[in-house]
Amino acid sequence: MTLRAGVLAVQGDVSEHAEAIERAAAAHGETADVVEIRKSGLLPDCDVLLMPGGESTTISRLIHREGIASEIEAHVAAEKPVLATCAGLIVAASDAHDDRVETLNLVDVTVERNAFGRQKDSFEAPLDIDGLASPFPAVFIRAPLIDYVADDVDVLASWDDRAVAVRDGPVVGTSFHPELTDDPRIHDLAFFENVES
Ligand code: GLN
């Protein structure tokens, strides 16, 4: 089967996500047909969506300007899977406490930008994740702090007693960057039914 995978490409770490979804698909004997989304009209034909890290203020501004925001909302309303990482999670959240980011309310969490971790800039940590048999090498880069999680949102992983990976229906959100490692298991978790860990 070929999975048509949209990668939001208005700004951010696009190629890393494209490679990660291709790796995850190959591990399942499938192929991923990656579509870089910079304008409206492409996402409606995609099976899954990746919302990369980058700069959430820029991503938010551009997806609204280009008419992509409403297509993302329709994708989720149709229960199609989404993986939103770091800035992607900020845009997908219900609120980011920042007027420059018009969030999409796809995941019922609120976030504070650039606020996670003792080292505010970047660190890597082995993370226990629900459904994975061994720790995942999680890379945090100026990561958002998830400061509220609604009752019906599943917390898949926590670090320092804080949620850092969540699932809300078809949407998986991480405050770290699974696309920056060779480990495909988060992309597996988000997009493929049978996770081998
Ligand atoms: N600091 C960025 C923001 O607030 C997110 C960082 C990232 O995606 N690595 O948008």
Side-chain angles (χ1 to χ4, degrees):
M1 186 192 115
T2 298
L3 188 73
R4 187 173 280 254
V7 180
L8 190 59
V10 292
Q11 193 266 334
D13 44 353
V14 174
S15 59
E16 292 86 349
H17 262 304
E19 285 162 22
I21 183 68
E22 281 165 359
R23 270 198 304 272
H28 288 266
E30 299 182 11
T31 49
D33 182 9
V34 172
V35 181
E36 295 195 357
I37 296 179
R38 295 193 182 82
K39 56 178 186 173
S40 61
L42 298 171
L43 182 57
D45 291 329
C46 292
D47 303 308
V48 305
L49 171 66
L50 299 100
M51 298 173 65
E55 183 55 44
S56 54
T57 50
T58 307
I59 294 172
S60 162
R61 183 167 46 82
L62 293 176
I63 60 174
H64 285 95
R65 192 185 78 186
E66 297 301 320
I68 301 169
S70 56
E71 293 185 349
I72 297 175
E73 287 161 352
H75 179 97
V76 172
E79 301 278 323
K80 292 190 199 170
V82 176
L83 174 58
T85 66
C86 204
L89 172 62
I90 296 171
V91 174
S94 53
D95 191 26
H97 316 304
D98 186 331
D99 290 345
R100 292 167 300 172
V101 185
E102 198 178 329
T103 56
L104 298 178
N105 200 11
L106 311 175
V107 184
D108 202 354
V109 302
T110 67
V111 295
E112 191 183 338
R113 299 178 57 217
N114 305 327
F116 186 74
R118 280 180 293 266
Q119 300 121 297
K120 290 258 188 314
D121 260 354
S122 118
F123 65 101
E124 184 172 337
L127 198 62
D128 287 324
I129 299 186
D130 255 21
L132 301 189
S134 59
F136 187 89
V139 178
F140 293 84
I141 303 171
R142 306 188 71 222
L145 172 73
I146 298 176
D147 56 8
Y148 162 80
V149 180
D151 285 345
D152 53 356
V153 174
D154 292 330
V155 174
L156 302 177
S158 299
W159 183 255
D160 257 358
D161 288 330
R162 299 289 193 162
V164 292
V166 292
R167 184 196 286 278
D168 190 353
V171 185
V172 171
T174 65
S175 48
F176 55 93
H177 286 271
E179 73 283 11
L180 295 184
T181 65
D182 288 343
D183 192 326
R185 290 179 297 166
I186 297 286
H187 289 73
D188 261 4
L189 202 63
F191 298 130
F192 298 94
E193 305 276 291
N194 304 311
V195 179
E196 290 147 32
S197 48

mmCIF file of all heavy atoms in Angstrom, residues 13 52-57 85-88 90 113-114 140-144 175 177, ligand 1:
data_model
loop_
_atom_site.group_PDB
_atom_site.id
_atom_site.type_symbol
_atom_site.label_atom_id
_atom_site.label_comp_id
_atom_site.label_asym_id
_atom_site.label_seq_id
_atom_site.Cartn_x
_atom_site.Cartn_y
_atom_site.Cartn_z
ATOM 1 N N ASP A 13 11.315 21.869 10.073
ATOM 2 C CA ASP A 13 12.160 20.717 9.707
ATOM 3 C C ASP A 13 11.368 19.694 8.884
ATOM 4 O O ASP A 13 10.995 18.629 9.345
ATOM 5 C CB ASP A 13 12.825 20.080 10.931
ATOM 6 C CG ASP A 13 11.878 19.904 12.107
ATOM 7 O OD1 ASP A 13 10.746 20.397 12.033
ATOM 8 O OD2 ASP A 13 12.287 19.266 13.084
ATOM 9 N N PRO A 52 5.537 19.719 11.410
ATOM 10 C CA PRO A 52 6.902 19.710 11.943
ATOM 11 C C PRO A 52 7.160 20.794 12.996
ATOM 12 O O PRO A 52 6.353 21.704 13.184
ATOM 13 C CB PRO A 52 7.762 20.021 10.712
ATOM 14 C CG PRO A 52 6.873 19.975 9.547
ATOM 15 C CD PRO A 52 5.483 20.191 10.041
ATOM 16 N N GLY A 53 8.349 20.663 13.612
ATOM 17 C CA GLY A 53 8.855 21.731 14.448
ATOM 18 C C GLY A 53 9.360 22.874 13.576
ATOM 19 O O GLY A 53 9.493 22.742 12.360
ATOM 20 N N GLY A 54 9.636 23.978 14.211
ATOM 21 C CA GLY A 54 10.082 25.173 13.506
ATOM 22 C C GLY A 54 9.753 26.369 14.376
ATOM 23 O O GLY A 54 10.055 26.371 15.569
ATOM 24 N N GLU A 55 9.095 27.325 13.797
ATOM 25 C CA GLU A 55 8.732 28.551 14.523
ATOM 26 C C GLU A 55 7.205 28.690 14.456
ATOM 27 O O GLU A 55 6.650 28.961 13.390
ATOM 28 C CB GLU A 55 9.450 29.750 13.870
ATOM 29 C CG GLU A 55 9.233 31.052 14.561
ATOM 30 C CD GLU A 55 9.607 31.018 16.042
ATOM 31 O OE1 GLU A 55 10.662 30.455 16.387
ATOM 32 O OE2 GLU A 55 8.815 31.540 16.837
ATOM 33 N N SER A 56 6.564 28.481 15.607
ATOM 34 C CA SER A 56 5.101 28.373 15.601
ATOM 35 C C SER A 56 4.410 29.659 15.166
ATOM 36 O O SER A 56 3.341 29.613 14.547
ATOM 37 C CB SER A 56 4.599 27.924 16.973
ATOM 38 O OG SER A 56 5.080 28.772 17.988
ATOM 39 N N THR A 57 5.001 30.819 15.469
ATOM 40 C CA THR A 57 4.363 32.080 15.054
ATOM 41 C C THR A 57 4.316 32.145 13.519
ATOM 42 O O THR A 57 3.295 32.518 12.928
ATOM 43 C CB THR A 57 5.134 33.300 15.601
ATOM 44 O OG1 THR A 57 6.514 33.147 15.281
ATOM 45 C CG2 THR A 57 4.992 33.404 17.106
ATOM 46 N N THR A 85 4.712 17.853 15.990
ATOM 47 C CA THR A 85 5.881 17.857 16.863
ATOM 48 C C THR A 85 6.335 19.282 17.154
ATOM 49 O O THR A 85 6.431 20.108 16.260
ATOM 50 C CB THR A 85 7.043 17.062 16.232
ATOM 51 O OG1 THR A 85 7.514 17.715 15.063
ATOM 52 C CG2 THR A 85 6.604 15.666 15.839
ATOM 53 N N CYS A 86 6.617 19.540 18.410
ATOM 54 C CA CYS A 86 7.196 20.794 18.886
ATOM 55 C C CYS A 86 6.398 22.017 18.413
ATOM 56 O O CYS A 86 5.283 22.216 18.868
ATOM 57 C CB CYS A 86 8.679 20.849 18.520
ATOM 58 S SG CYS A 86 9.592 21.938 19.601
ATOM 59 N N ALA A 87 6.905 22.815 17.489
ATOM 60 C CA ALA A 87 6.112 23.947 17.015
ATOM 61 C C ALA A 87 4.793 23.464 16.412
ATOM 62 O O ALA A 87 3.761 24.142 16.516
ATOM 63 C CB ALA A 87 6.896 24.753 15.983
ATOM 64 N N GLY A 88 4.815 22.272 15.793
ATOM 65 C CA GLY A 88 3.577 21.684 15.260
ATOM 66 C C GLY A 88 2.562 21.459 16.368
ATOM 67 O O GLY A 88 1.366 21.735 16.204
ATOM 68 N N ILE A 90 2.463 23.120 19.172
ATOM 69 C CA ILE A 90 2.019 24.448 19.633
ATOM 70 C C ILE A 90 0.847 24.921 18.761
ATOM 71 O O ILE A 90 -0.184 25.375 19.262
ATOM 72 C CB ILE A 90 3.187 25.463 19.579
ATOM 73 C CG1 ILE A 90 4.302 25.048 20.546
ATOM 74 C CG2 ILE A 90 2.699 26.875 19.901
ATOM 75 C CD1 ILE A 90 5.599 25.847 20.418
ATOM 76 N N ARG A 113 5.299 28.348 25.263
ATOM 77 C CA ARG A 113 6.413 28.221 24.331
ATOM 78 C C ARG A 113 7.765 28.365 25.047
ATOM 79 O O ARG A 113 7.896 29.134 25.990
ATOM 80 C CB ARG A 113 6.306 29.298 23.241
ATOM 81 C CG ARG A 113 5.030 29.200 22.420
ATOM 82 C CD ARG A 113 4.955 30.311 21.391
ATOM 83 N NE ARG A 113 6.115 30.291 20.528
ATOM 84 C CZ ARG A 113 6.715 31.385 20.054
ATOM 85 N NH1 ARG A 113 6.254 32.579 20.368
ATOM 86 N NH2 ARG A 113 7.765 31.270 19.289
ATOM 87 N N ASN A 114 8.751 27.638 24.548
ATOM 88 C CA ASN A 114 10.152 27.786 24.994
ATOM 89 C C ASN A 114 10.310 27.670 26.502
ATOM 90 O O ASN A 114 11.126 28.367 27.095
ATOM 91 C CB ASN A 114 10.704 29.150 24.561
ATOM 92 C CG ASN A 114 10.569 29.361 23.071
ATOM 93 O OD1 ASN A 114 10.652 28.416 22.299
ATOM 94 N ND2 ASN A 114 10.350 30.598 22.663
ATOM 95 N N PHE A 140 14.827 17.396 22.639
ATOM 96 C CA PHE A 140 14.021 18.583 22.955
ATOM 97 C C PHE A 140 14.787 19.835 22.514
ATOM 98 O O PHE A 140 15.945 20.010 22.888
ATOM 99 C CB PHE A 140 13.778 18.679 24.462
ATOM 100 C CG PHE A 140 12.917 17.583 25.037
ATOM 101 C CD1 PHE A 140 13.467 16.355 25.389
ATOM 102 C CD2 PHE A 140 11.555 17.774 25.226
ATOM 103 C CE1 PHE A 140 12.680 15.341 25.931
ATOM 104 C CE2 PHE A 140 10.757 16.768 25.771
ATOM 105 C CZ PHE A 140 11.326 15.547 26.120
ATOM 106 N N ILE A 141 14.164 20.677 21.708
ATOM 107 C CA ILE A 141 14.807 21.922 21.265
ATOM 108 C C ILE A 141 13.860 23.094 21.520
ATOM 109 O O ILE A 141 12.826 23.210 20.859
ATOM 110 C CB ILE A 141 15.166 21.872 19.764
ATOM 111 C CG1 ILE A 141 16.070 20.668 19.458
ATOM 112 C CG2 ILE A 141 15.846 23.171 19.328
ATOM 113 C CD1 ILE A 141 16.297 20.414 17.987
ATOM 114 N N ARG A 142 14.196 23.931 22.469
ATOM 115 C CA ARG A 142 13.324 25.050 22.843
ATOM 116 C C ARG A 142 11.865 24.587 22.866
ATOM 117 O O ARG A 142 10.988 25.154 22.207
ATOM 118 C CB ARG A 142 13.525 26.238 21.899
ATOM 119 C CG ARG A 142 14.995 26.664 21.817
ATOM 120 C CD ARG A 142 15.174 27.945 21.043
ATOM 121 N NE ARG A 142 14.661 29.058 21.833
ATOM 122 C CZ ARG A 142 13.940 30.064 21.334
ATOM 123 N NH1 ARG A 142 13.632 30.097 20.062
ATOM 124 N NH2 ARG A 142 13.541 31.028 22.113
ATOM 125 N N ALA A 143 11.649 23.552 23.648
ATOM 126 C CA ALA A 143 10.388 22.808 23.593
ATOM 127 C C ALA A 143 9.275 23.508 24.359
ATOM 128 O O ALA A 143 9.521 24.210 25.333
ATOM 129 C CB ALA A 143 10.621 21.419 24.175
ATOM 130 N N PRO A 144 8.045 23.276 23.917
ATOM 131 C CA PRO A 144 6.910 23.825 24.660
ATOM 132 C C PRO A 144 6.633 23.009 25.923
ATOM 133 O O PRO A 144 6.744 21.781 25.922
ATOM 134 C CB PRO A 144 5.756 23.681 23.670
ATOM 135 C CG PRO A 144 6.138 22.533 22.787
ATOM 136 C CD PRO A 144 7.639 22.575 22.690
ATOM 137 N N SER A 175 6.233 17.188 22.434
ATOM 138 C CA SER A 175 6.966 18.440 22.610
ATOM 139 C C SER A 175 8.419 18.274 22.158
ATOM 140 O O SER A 175 9.155 19.241 22.064
ATOM 141 C CB SER A 175 6.887 18.947 24.053
ATOM 142 O OG SER A 175 7.162 17.929 24.949
ATOM 143 N N HIS A 177 11.297 16.066 19.289
ATOM 144 C CA HIS A 177 11.455 15.940 17.829
ATOM 145 C C HIS A 177 11.770 14.508 17.406
ATOM 146 O O HIS A 177 12.940 14.178 17.184
ATOM 147 C CB HIS A 177 12.615 16.828 17.352
ATOM 148 C CG HIS A 177 12.306 18.274 17.348
ATOM 149 N ND1 HIS A 177 11.755 18.909 16.256
ATOM 150 C CD2 HIS A 177 12.456 19.201 18.305
ATOM 151 C CE1 HIS A 177 11.590 20.193 16.530
ATOM 152 N NE2 HIS A 177 12.008 20.396 17.776
HETATM 153 N N1 GLN B 1 10.435 27.486 20.038
HETATM 154 C C1 GLN B 1 9.646 27.130 18.895
HETATM 155 C C2 GLN B 1 8.306 27.846 18.936
HETATM 156 O O1 GLN B 1 7.925 28.349 19.922
HETATM 157 C C3 GLN B 1 9.425 25.640 18.825
HETATM 158 C C4 GLN B 1 10.751 24.953 18.778
HETATM 159 C C5 GLN B 1 10.825 23.807 17.845
HETATM 160 O O2 GLN B 1 9.925 23.490 17.069
HETATM 161 N N2 GLN B 1 11.964 23.188 17.895
HETATM 162 O O3 GLN B 1 7.640 27.899 17.949
#
